[in-house]
């Protein structure tokens, strides 16, 4: 099963799962200093090689403790879900290297793309760096886009990472946090470059 397809399905499924409530629910309190406790990374290799971009591309998916997967692989609960889709590393790296990553549109190592949305078949699709605030009542869930900031990574063994984030969203909210999280990276570098429509549209505009 491809992780990218799984991720798309995961987003849709947690929206459906969040709607299955029969009693009034307490609103999730948005945290400006969230602690992400689990997640995973995706390695795309030289994903933008068709555009003379030879640096490797990663994405990160991080979740707070209130979000869990049930037996049907549905994301349930309430919390915050941070997605950094286009994180650039050197051609020699296949996982996050230690250092500070800065939001920029350059595609250089130690940078990542900002968050934005575009329309695909009359649907608004998030892209780049963004965060879901997941409510038990799906109609109250929302997405904010990361417009400024950095995150700093240090490695603690093969799979454990210490990460500091300092972001500013499109709502001018400051998000700051330090957390330790284990990350498994899944290799999707065999996929054709720019195979994902969202990514293709984004790079084509530049």
């Amino acid at each position: 099963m491809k992780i990218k397809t799984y991720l798309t399905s995961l987003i849709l499924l947690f929206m459906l799962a969040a709607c299955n409530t029969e009693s009034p629910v307490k609103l999730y309190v948005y945290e400006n200093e969230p602690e992400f406790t689990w997640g995973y990374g995706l390695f795309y290799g030289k994903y933008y090689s068709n555009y003379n971009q030879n640096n490797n591309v990663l994405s990160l998916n991080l979740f707070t403790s209130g979000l869990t997967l049930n037996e049907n692989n549905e994301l349930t609960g309430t919390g915050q879900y941070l997605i950094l889709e286009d994180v650039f590393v050197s051609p020699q790296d296949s996982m996050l290297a230690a250092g500070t990553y800065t939001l920029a549109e350059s595609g250089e190592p130690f940078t990542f793309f900002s968050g934005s949305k575009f329309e695909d078949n009359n649907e608004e699709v998030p892209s780049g760096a963004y965060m879901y605030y997941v409510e038990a009542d799906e109609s109250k869930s929302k997405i904010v886009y990361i417009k400024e900031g950095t995150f700093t990574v240090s490695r603690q063994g093969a799979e454990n990472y210490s990460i500091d984030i300092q972001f500013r969203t499109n709502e001018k909210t400051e998000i700051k946090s330090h957390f330790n999280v284990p990350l498994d990276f899944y290799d999707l570098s065999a996929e054709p470059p720019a195979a994902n429509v969202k990514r293709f549209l984004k790079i084509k505009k530049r």
Side-chain angles (χ1 to χ4, degrees), residues 3 6 8 13 15 20 49 60 68 70 77 82 93 109 118 122 127 129 139 181 184 198 202:
I3 298 298
Y6 166 76
T8 302
L13 285 171
M15 290 180 177
N20 294 329
S49 61
L60 292 180
T68 58
N70 65 19
L82 177 65
D93 289 324
F118 71 95
N122 296 319
S127 178
S139 67
V181 63
D184 289 323
K198 171 164 56 62
K202 183 174 184 179

Side-chain angles (χ1 to χ4, degrees), residues 113-129:
F113 283 166
S114 65
S116 61
K117 59 184 175 182
F118 71 95
E119 286 195 3
D120 181 27
N121 293 325
N122 296 319
E123 291 186 11
E124 290 186 349
V125 180
S127 178

